Amino acid sequence: IKKIAVFTSGGDAPGMNAAIRAVVRASIYYDKEVFAVYRGYEGMIDNDIVPLDARSVGNIIQRGGTILKSARSKEFRTPEGRKQAYDNLRARGIDALVGIGGDGTFTGLHKFYEEFKMPVICIPGTIDNDLPGTDYTIGYDTATNTAVEAIDKIRDTALSHNRLFFIEVMGRDSGYIAINSGIAGGAIAAIIPEEKMTTDELIATLDKSDKRSSLVIVAEGGKSGSAIEIAKQVNEKFSYYDTKVTILGHLQRGGSPSYFDRVLASKMGIAAIEGLIQGKTDVMVGVRDKTMVYNDFVTTMNKDREIEPELLRIAKILSI
Ligand code: F6P
């Protein structure tokens, strides 16, 4: 491997810049040329590719978002789009790809590897923490801290007015942000996709409690509906509280990455380059019990990410 290209794809996540920096500097450290592909797979097809040096990634470790920009590309899903992307990379002599993103990014890389046999490696960058094969994805720690900060603020006003707040957090089909921000924010309940909680069960919990105000965290992908829908259902049957809904939305995607995400991204960026040099391909870097691991596509993407049972257990004990 002589020339490596790096790109970010899918939803951005705090810490992606730290990962880009690590990929670029590790490539140069190991005497490889390194290129940026802007706007993910879109930029690969549009030939938006430029060479980088060690200084190109200065002053970015602390910045949220991604300096390479991100996009979700429809064209890359077609064989013609992928062929165009491959031709653009090969025209510059690029012989390996590092993608930073979620399951869509990894799926794209996998297809690309199958078709062209170019070595590819994925770094998990998503706030959702929904990828099996790694204890943490880049951005999840920062996003959860951001959610907790917002929940603390809502708690102040909830208490002053004796209100019940339903706070919707991101996570797509994963309840990780919800369960952990719920525990850390002292919520009475967290409604998550991995666990069925009916409106009646929630009302029973609220009814049993002697709290004058309460917070319920709702994961956006929950099967009982959105925070607005759940609040409406609860209101119809249980009128003790004045009820409000707050959807935290994209504020969870921005902001300066936590120390944890910066270090995680730095480790993963270096592991990606070292993996490529060792001949690894079609794998996603992960961290398991503090050890860097490489997960192959087939075993990683066919497994559901489970919520740690201990989190569910302690959330229940603390909700009385
Ligand atoms: O995957 C990250 C994420 O922020 C999810 O939590 C959320 O469901 C989705 O992306 C939102 O996507 P978009 O930014 O395209 O609206």
Side-chain angles (χ1 to χ4, degrees):
I1 288 172
K2 291 197 174 77
K3 297 188 183 188
I4 299 170
V6 58
F7 67 98
T8 48
S9 167
D12 63 350
M16 278 185 164
N17 284 327
I20 296 164
R21 174 178 178 270
V23 166
V24 169
R25 294 205 172 157
S27 299
I28 294 166
Y29 180 86
Y30 288 112
D31 291 326
K32 310 295 172 198
E33 280 183 54
V34 59
F35 292 76
V37 178
Y38 286 92
R39 295 178 294 111
Y41 292 119
E42 287 276 313
M44 222 178 276
I45 294 168
D46 295 347
N47 211 4
D48 202 353
I49 305 170
V50 298
L52 296 176
D53 61 34
R55 296 284 77 74
S56 323
V57 289
N59 196 28
I60 66 166
I61 194 166
Q62 79 286 12
R63 282 165 58 188
T66 160
I67 61 158
L68 300 185
K69 312 230 180 244
S70 194
R72 303 190 203 270
S73 171
K74 280 204 184 101
E75 223 183 321
F76 196 80
R77 295 199 191 134
T78 66
E80 298 76 33
R82 291 194 291 275
K83 175 74 172 64
Q84 182 63 56
Y86 178 73
D87 290 345
N88 292 340
L89 294 169
R90 287 308 299 151
R92 289 164 199 270
I94 292 165
D95 50 11
L97 263 185
V98 178
I100 307 167
D103 54 355
T105 309
F106 197 11
T107 304
L109 282 171
H110 174 67
K111 270 224 130 14
F112 198 73
Y113 175 68
E114 277 192 332
E115 286 171 359
F116 305 108
K117 297 291 170 236
M118 183 187 280
V120 297
I121 202 153
C122 180
I123 297 176
T126 164
I127 64 165
D128 300 337
N129 207 34
D130 58 348
L131 292 167
T134 187
D135 293 341
Y136 302 103
T137 58
I138 297 166
Y140 161 65
D141 180 71
T142 306
T144 309
N145 279 316
T146 302
V148 171
E149 236 176 77
I151 291 166
D152 287 349
K153 290 188 171 127
I154 293 169
R155 171 187 282 277
D156 289 344
T157 176
L159 206 58
S160 304
H161 291 269
N162 286 348
R163 281 175 169 157
L164 167 65
F165 269 83
F166 289 86
I167 304 167
E168 189 173 294
V169 298
M170 277 188 169
R172 209 180 285 273
D173 297 323
S174 163
Y176 261 102
I177 296 177
I179 190 82
N180 272 323
S181 65
I183 292 169
I188 193 162
I191 301 177
I192 58 169
E194 295 84 349
E195 201 190 34
K196 182 95 190 114
M197 187 191 259
T198 62
T199 312
D200 288 341
E201 282 165 342
L202 177 60
I203 291 171
T205 307
L206 293 168
D207 202 19
K208 236 182 12 209
S209 167
D210 55 356
K211 289 182 179 176
R212 278 171 299 140
S213 74
S214 274
L215 308 174
V216 175
I217 311 302
V218 181
E220 65 174 357
K223 297 187 181 65
S224 320
S226 66
I228 293 175
E229 287 159 351
I230 295 171
K232 194 162 163 271
Q233 287 164 23
V234 169
N235 257 334
E236 278 162 9
K237 296 188 185 167
F238 185 70
S239 56
Y240 175 76
Y241 288 111
D242 177 17
T243 301
K244 296 280 174 188
V245 177
T246 305
I247 298 168
L248 298 186
H250 285 80
L251 76 83
Q252 295 160 98
R253 286 249 296 268
S256 180
S258 63
Y259 108 83
F260 183 90
D261 277 328
R262 296 182 200 192
V263 174
L264 178 71
S266 301
K267 285 182 183 168
M268 286 182 164
I270 291 171
I273 299 307
E274 291 179 341
L276 280 175
I277 291 169
Q278 289 158 19
K280 298 209 172 4
T281 182
D282 200 19
V283 292
M284 183 190 82
V285 177
V287 63
R288 281 264 188 223
D289 299 328
K290 301 204 178 92
T291 304
M292 302 313 291
V293 293
Y294 299 92
N295 305 277
D296 65 74
F297 181 84
V298 180
T299 49
T300 311
M301 301 315 277
N302 290 333
K303 262 198 258 152
D304 275 342
R305 174 84 196 254
E306 282 167 14
I307 287 277
E308 287 160 45
E310 182 63 0
L311 291 175
L312 303 177
R313 195 181 77 83
I314 68 167
K316 218 153 255 143
I317 293 174
L318 294 171
S319 74
I320 58 165

